[in-house]
Amino acid sequence: MKFTLGWLREHLDTQASLDDIVAGLTRIGLEVEGVDNPGEKLAAFRVAKVLTAERHPQADKLQVLSVDAGDGPLQVVCGAPNARAGLVGVFGMPGATVPANGMVLKVAAIRGVESNGMMCSSRELELGDDHDGIIELPADAPVGTPYPAYAGLDDLVIDFSITSNRQDCMGVRGIARDLAAAGLGTLRPLAEVYRVAVIAPVPGDGPAPDVRTDDPEGCPAFYAQAVSGVTNGASPEWMRQKLNAIGQKPISVLVDITNFVSIDLGRPLHVYDRAKLSGALVARKARAGETVLALNGKSFTLDATMTVIADDAQVHDIGGIMGGEDSGVSDATTDVLIECAYFDPDHIARTGQKLALTSDARQRFERGVDPAFLEDGLAIATRLVVEHCGGTPSAITRAGSAPLGTRSYAYDPARAETLGGLAVAPERQRAILESLGFTVTADWQVTPPTWRRDIDGTADLVEEVIRIEGIDNVPAVPLDRAPGVAKPTATPEQKLDRRVRRAAAARGLDEAVTWSFLGEMEAAVFGGGAWTLANPISEDLKVMRPSLLPGLLSAAAHNVKRGAGSVRLFEIGRRYLADAERPTLGLVLAGDRRPRGWREGKAAAFDAFDAKAEALALLAAAGAPVENLQVFGEAGEAWHPGQSGTLRLGPKTVLAAFGMLHPRTARAFDLDGAVAAVELYLDAIPAKRGGNGFMRPAYAPPALQPVRRDFAFLVPAEVSADALVRAAKGADKAAIVSARVFDLFTGAGVEEGSKSVALEVVLQPGEKSFTDAELKAIADKVVAAAAKQGAVLRG
């Protein structure tokens, strides 16, 4: 909903700034979507007077005007038929941007005559559809005044969202009431806002309108008053300004009055042209198959559950939602009937849903308008019609009665603290509730106002107190564990899942959830499944998965086919083997590891080392002793020989398989190119011993710098580099902190069946630096440990 700051201040006597009002709205639960200044785009346009108008020497349809915009006469070429000397209009200075088309005005020659700016039409300024001539302002409009200030378009517009339970804030007055309760001003009396001594029915002459309600469930109350001899036309300037500012297009004074009252007070109304009615106007249930041409130009077919307003001839109104085209007012209307009815919210909602029809009236009625405001709503609308259209009002018809449904609750002020968490003095609570329209007796019997149908119990009263007092004031207090409240029950396995899942996501992997069942062909690629369903829902979901990789590969193929350049998926689930269900993490890397770039050159694909790095990082997050892991050969038939392996803790305990998938495995899942993958066997990761769980010891940096020594060994070709590294690291565990391969060579100078492997060994001194003798002794240990692997130190 939108309203202007000036409009709000007509109901709220306040000196609060815009920032204070915006912050206050959000604080009390009316979330502000934005603030807009509709006059900002017209800031460069001024009120100007045409001093002279002469025919253009080179064009019959153009005139050369002398225009005063406050800084003296300017020559302007204009083609508007109504341009004439003495006219006061809106002038765009050179440099101004025309809102309708974005054109920047400048000094230019038009048919050989210099023109300095432009006299503007309503369409060019996006103030209406009129483009037949330039805007004509009253003769006394102050020349040189910025047009937004003159037209009231510099009034800031506040847009905020309303939750479905706050029907009372579907009008500007309800918003003002809430802000007043929050201490941002004083709510003006409604009679003062409408400049009358008291809001009372407008006295009428002649018979009351013939209206009734035959549908007390859908339309319990139907009030109406006729006005004869009206003159319909343009709305007063102040009303047009308000409606224009919030995006409501002014139509005519009769229609605009109903829109204004609906927005101002949250009370929808409807005006009928009495000349188009036949007989009595009745609220009744529609007959199945009846149709109505609504004001939006669309025809709707009705059923017997819908409430309509009809006369003896036809349906004229979808009750509470939209009026009909056939009885709408026009410039020729002289006699009107003003309807102010109450429609049941549930009926309105169901009808609107069936017809897929929404309107401002529906939004208000299905939330629930104030049932006690029928008399005053009709009085205000009738007074506005008589004031701006003339005419003679009739007596009032009051058919039916609105369901006031007053409710009362015994309230304990202590509940604000026990339920809402904020201690508020009882008298402060009383003041808050009364400022919102609640009635509070001395013994704390609280009656909600008729416009608050959302209040249903003392918990809602607490909510009202807390939101006005300020939710930000509720202290953050940790709750004591009460008896019966469960303690954390996550098992070690569940905690392990959480750590690994978070680590995978933190490394840029996307989690997938795939089927636990596969087709037989997909399962066969990974050795076949141990369990097959006898009665599957689909042949493609027949075998319980022996691996998580088939589902991830299918998901990867799905994404690649839809243009994904890089796919990084993981899943934590279970494999179903012959002996048990095994918790597992599967991971697939497909596409580009790095996109092409001006510095990097061609795109780079994933390789086995990327898979190994992910496996080691996730195992470390799981708490596995990665420093003691060994790399063994190929991971299986589904994996690429020579480009895959397993990570083991000893020869038998396999913690992970990693590497590149065999090309035929990738093709089986319709994937082209290299695909890297990992499977982590979570149940194989050993649990930590001791009471510290996975807590690491505090880091204490060494006082002395490390020492690096390089060794180059001739090693039999079948000996893995990993075995040599582990041998070097174990040569002196007290002094050697790490070892890594930095060179691998086969070729000239290396005999066939051997390879040259160069290691960097890092030594860390303790309390004192190593002596030469100590360094030689450590080096001898490294050489001796390597010799047990068949390695010989190169000369």
Side-chain angles (χ1 to χ4, degrees):
M1 179 176 163
K2 294 182 179 180
F3 61 93
T4 67
L5 186 59
W7 196 340
L8 175 70
R9 284 178 169 157
E10 291 180 5
H11 289 273
L12 183 68
D13 184 3
T14 180
Q15 299 300 317
S17 67
L18 172 68
D19 290 343
D20 290 338
I21 289 173
V22 168
L25 286 169
T26 301
R27 186 174 65 250
I28 61 179
L30 304 175
E31 183 179 357
V32 175
E33 299 284 348
V35 178
D36 181 41
N37 184 354
E40 188 174 8
K41 62 184 178 182
L42 301 177
F45 294 84
R46 299 185 189 178
V47 176
K49 183 174 184 179
V50 179
L51 303 177
T52 62
E54 299 178 358
R55 190 177 68 84
H56 192 291
Q58 304 296 329
D60 292 338
K61 294 185 178 181
L62 298 179
Q63 296 187 73
V64 180
L65 310 180
S66 175
V67 176
D68 180 14
D71 297 325
L74 289 173
Q75 182 172 281
V76 177
V77 176
C78 180
N82 63 332
R84 62 188 184 277
L87 180 145
V88 179
V90 182
F91 177 65
M93 304 286 291
T97 300
V98 179
N101 54 25
M103 179 179 67
V104 179
L105 300 178
K106 57 185 178 180
V107 179
I110 300 177
R111 294 288 185 93
V113 177
E114 183 181 274
S115 181
N116 300 271
M118 181 174 74
M119 295 296 290
C120 302
S121 69
S122 295
R123 186 189 297 177
E124 288 161 340
L125 299 185
E126 295 184 334
L127 298 176
D129 296 329
D130 184 12
H131 195 56
D132 295 334
I134 57 178
I135 296 172
E136 294 192 39
L137 301 178
D140 59 352
V143 172
T145 302
Y147 180 65
Y150 168 76
L153 297 175
D154 55 350
D155 197 0
L156 296 172
V157 176
I158 302 172
D159 184 8
F160 73 103
S161 59
I162 307 174
T163 54
S164 59
N165 65 313
R166 292 306 308 277
Q167 69 281 347
D168 59 306
C169 287
M170 292 297 289
V172 177
R173 184 157 186 84
I175 300 162
R177 184 188 299 112
D178 260 24
L179 289 172
L184 289 176
T186 303
L187 186 68
R188 300 182 192 271
L190 189 57
E192 178 185 329
V193 175
Y194 280 90
R195 299 178 178 86
V196 294
V198 62
I199 302 294
V202 178
D205 296 325
D210 187 4
V211 301
R212 68 178 189 272
T213 175
D214 292 346
D215 180 15
E217 291 184 353
C219 179
F222 187 175
Y223 287 18
Q225 188 168 16
V227 182
S228 303
V230 301
T231 301
N232 195 16
S235 301
E237 185 65 26
W238 64 266
M239 189 177 294
R240 293 202 305 272
Q241 287 178 5
K242 282 183 168 64
L243 296 177
N244 268 321
I246 63 172
Q248 288 272 359
K249 179 183 176 182
I251 298 173
S252 68
V253 62
L254 288 171
V255 176
D256 294 348
I257 285 172
T258 63
N259 290 334
F260 171 76
V261 174
S262 179
I263 297 165
D264 191 49
L265 302 173
R267 161 35 75 180
L269 303 154
H270 190 61
V271 178
Y272 297 89
D273 187 334
R274 288 168 58 200
K276 300 176 181 179
L277 301 178
S278 300
L281 201 59
V282 182
R284 61 169 172 83
K285 281 287 190 287
R287 302 182 184 98
E290 278 188 307
T291 61
V292 60
L293 178 62
L295 285 171
N296 62 0
K298 297 181 180 180
S299 182
F300 295 90
T301 301
L302 312 173
D303 66 36
T305 66
M306 300 175 182
T307 301
V308 298
I309 307 296
D311 61 9
D312 294 344
Q314 67 182 98
V315 173
H316 286 288
D317 189 352
I318 305 171
I321 298 180
M322 187 170 290
E325 185 76 33
D326 294 336
S327 60
V329 296
S330 66
D331 290 343
T333 298
T334 58
D335 299 318
V336 298
L337 184 147
I338 306 170
E339 166 218 303
C340 185
Y342 180 85
F343 295 94
D344 177 69
D346 294 338
H347 282 72
I348 291 291
R350 287 194 292 268
T351 299
Q353 290 167 1
K354 287 181 179 180
L355 298 178
L357 178 60
T358 186
S359 66
D360 289 342
R362 175 190 166 184
Q363 289 181 349
R364 288 166 171 80
F365 276 121
E366 73 179 352
R367 283 173 165 85
V369 300
D370 183 3
F373 198 70
L374 289 167
E375 191 86 37
D376 289 350
L378 181 62
I380 289 170
T382 304
R383 186 174 297 278
L384 288 172
V385 169
V386 172
E387 179 180 349
H388 298 290
C389 303
T392 303
S394 72
I396 300 172
T397 299
R398 301 172 179 85
S401 60
L404 299 181
T406 55
R407 311 168 311 282
S408 184
Y409 305 101
Y411 179 65
D412 180 2
R415 292 208 74 196
E417 183 174 11
T418 58
L419 182 61
L422 182 62
V424 182
E427 288 311 307
R428 170 61 178 156
Q429 295 190 53
R430 182 187 298 273
I432 289 173
L433 292 172
E434 290 179 343
S435 65
L436 291 171
F438 293 76
T439 301
V440 185
T441 64
D443 59 350
W444 286 97
Q445 197 73 20
V446 180
T447 303
T450 53
W451 59 79
R452 292 301 300 273
R453 67 186 292 264
D454 59 300
I455 301 299
D456 185 21
T458 57
D460 289 335
L461 300 178
V462 170
E463 181 182 356
E464 293 299 298
V465 170
I466 298 301
R467 74 178 180 88
I468 297 298
E469 187 68 9
I471 294 176
D472 293 344
N473 295 325
V474 177
V477 179
L479 299 177
D480 296 330
R481 186 177 296 279
V485 176
K487 295 183 178 180
T489 57
T491 64
E493 291 78 11
Q494 290 171 327
K495 293 178 181 179
L496 175 62
D497 280 2
R498 293 173 187 174
R499 285 197 304 274
V500 177
R501 179 176 283 108
R502 290 172 181 169
R507 292 184 63 80
L509 303 173
D510 297 313
E511 185 172 11
V513 178
T514 66
W515 291 103
S516 297
F517 304 97
L518 307 171
E520 289 184 322
M521 294 182 61
E522 294 173 322
V525 176
F526 287 85
W531 303 94
T532 301
L533 300 182
N535 187 25
I537 60 174
S538 167
E539 284 297 314
D540 294 333
L541 300 173
K542 185 176 184 179
V543 180
M544 300 189 76
R545 63 186 179 193
S547 168
L548 270 65
L549 296 183
L552 291 172
L553 291 171
S554 296
H558 180 87
N559 283 274
V560 169
K561 289 176 183 177
R562 283 154 181 78
S566 181
V567 178
R568 306 162 186 252
L569 298 177
F570 81 95
E571 179 177 10
I572 297 178
R574 292 180 178 271
R575 297 175 297 136
Y576 299 92
L577 308 181
D579 59 338
E581 300 177 15
R582 301 292 184 183
T584 306
L585 181 145
L587 185 155
V588 166
L589 306 172
D592 297 335
R593 174 174 59 86
R594 185 195 69 225
R596 63 182 180 177
W598 65 270
R599 177 178 293 178
E600 298 86 358
K602 294 182 179 180
F606 292 103
D607 57 27
F609 295 105
D610 295 315
K612 181 182 179 183
E614 296 296 340
L616 289 172
L618 296 176
L619 285 170
V626 292
E627 66 279 358
N628 297 327
L629 297 182
Q630 300 172 251
V631 178
F632 281 71
E634 285 85 7
E637 294 184 359
W639 302 79
H640 197 301
Q643 296 185 34
S644 64
T646 57
L647 292 169
R648 307 192 183 198
L649 194 60
K652 296 183 179 180
T653 306
V654 181
L655 300 189
F658 72 91
M660 307 303 294
L661 293 178
H662 199 288
R664 67 168 175 263
T665 301
R667 285 196 299 271
F669 292 89
D670 206 14
L671 281 167
D672 296 326
V675 179
V678 173
E679 270 200 329
L680 260 61
Y681 309 124
L682 302 178
D683 58 334
I685 298 174
K688 286 281 188 179
R689 294 194 183 98
N692 290 331
F694 290 87
M695 184 178 294
R696 297 178 179 177
Y699 175 67
L704 301 175
Q705 292 184 342
V707 177
R708 291 175 171 81
R709 288 290 184 267
D710 295 343
F711 299 84
F713 295 101
L714 288 174
V715 188
E718 65 273 10
V719 176
S720 68
D722 179 68
L724 188 61
V725 168
R726 286 188 287 104
K729 287 176 64 176
D732 190 333
K733 294 183 179 180
I736 299 174
V737 293
S738 68
R740 69 181 186 89
V741 176
F742 71 87
D743 185 51
L744 178 64
F745 176 72
T746 57
V750 178
E751 62 184 55
E752 188 175 352
S754 298
K755 58 186 176 184
S756 174
V757 179
L759 303 181
E760 178 189 69
V761 178
V762 180
L763 315 176
Q764 179 60 58
E767 296 179 356
K768 62 177 183 177
S769 299
F770 293 119
T771 64
D772 289 342
E774 289 172 336
L775 290 173
K776 184 178 184 307
I778 295 171
D780 290 343
K781 292 180 182 179
V782 171
V783 173
K788 295 180 181 179
Q789 300 295 325
V792 178
L793 189 67
R794 294 187 64 181

